[in-house]
Amino acid sequence: MSARPLIVFDVNETLLDLETMEPTFTRIFGDRSAMRLWFANFIMYSAALTVAGCYVPFTDIGSAVMKMLADTRGIRIGDDDRKELTEKFSTMPPYTEVPPALRKLREAGFRLFTLTDNLLEVQPRQLEHGGIVDLFERRFSADGVKHHKPSREAYAYVERELGVDPSQLFLIACHTWDTLGAVAAGWEAALIKRPGNDVLGVGPQPQIVGNSLDEVADQLIARHKAKA
């Protein structure tokens, strides 16, 4: 029987519903689209800082980007706003299909892990709040290697910790920048097309694409059976 890959999940937006943060941004900015602008800049600056060789914890970048966007609009960000941002980010619920899809993969014999840019102390709270923390064998943070995804160092960190070759790992994420980094590192990957996320027509491509984790799980299970 063909060996199953070890499945590594991104967390923010891949498993947890980022859109539940919109009310916070609507209250502060008076514009629900501000959340998407914030998150896009959040990812851009985490990558930019990493490329520049300047590691900053993920939550600190998120807070700084929120203030930067507020400054451009003449809006004052207070301590209560920062606390609300942290609280909402730490308690995003999972998408409805996520818990049963994760269990389906476990029942099919796949081992599940996470790799996120979040600090390691933030991740358990997110997954415990969502009731899915026990479905993962081990959780990894890019903070462990001080390089945010999609840097090669972030993926290599998981390889070293698990003692496996890149070809034995499979990333599931809803962000093309993440699947691009994983495939370039020698992993395989699946892209979930969450709202506002889709396939990029250039660069390393994911092996599986689906509209939900349930679709991706079904394709992975079928793919393994076909190789058996």
Side-chain angles (χ1 to χ4, degrees), residues 101 103-110 208 214-227:
R103 293 188 184 97
K104 182 192 299 185
L105 285 166
R106 286 266 301 234
E107 289 165 3
F110 290 96
I208 291 176
D214 195 51
E215 285 189 13
V216 167
D218 285 343
Q219 290 184 63
L220 257 174
I221 292 168
R223 189 170 180 250
H224 171 71
K225 287 180 178 177
K227 287 183 176 180

Side-chain angles (χ1 to χ4, degrees), residues 78-154:
D79 289 341
D80 288 345
D81 298 320
R82 294 188 184 91
K83 288 177 183 177
E84 182 177 339
L85 176 68
T86 300
E87 179 66 18
K88 293 290 187 182
F89 198 66
S90 299
T91 57
M92 294 184 291
Y95 292 95
T96 55
E97 94 278 5
V98 165
L102 292 174
R103 293 188 184 97
K104 182 192 299 185
L105 285 166
R106 286 266 301 234
E107 289 165 3
F110 290 96
R111 297 169 62 191
L112 312 183
F113 304 84
T114 64
L115 172 61
T116 176
D117 285 327
N118 297 336
L119 292 172
L120 201 56
E121 57 264 32
V122 173
Q123 190 180 167
R125 187 181 179 201
Q126 288 182 311
L127 300 178
E128 285 167 1
H129 181 80
I132 56 176
V133 68
D134 293 336
L135 297 173
F136 299 100
E137 187 172 324
R138 191 171 170 187
R139 302 178 299 272
F140 296 100
S141 166
D143 186 64
V145 72
K146 308 302 183 192
H147 282 269
H148 292 300
K149 295 184 291 177
S151 70
R152 177 70 185 92
E153 289 84 352

Side-chain angles (χ1 to χ4, degrees), residues 199-213:
V199 175
L200 181 69
V202 294
Q205 297 295 304
Q207 284 72 29
I208 291 176
V209 177
N211 292 312
S212 69
L213 179 54

Side-chain angles (χ1 to χ4, degrees), residues 62-78:
S63 180
V65 168
M66 186 183 196
K67 182 181 183 302
M68 181 188 73
L69 294 177
D71 288 345
T72 66
R73 302 184 184 196
I75 296 171
R76 182 181 178 277
I77 295 293

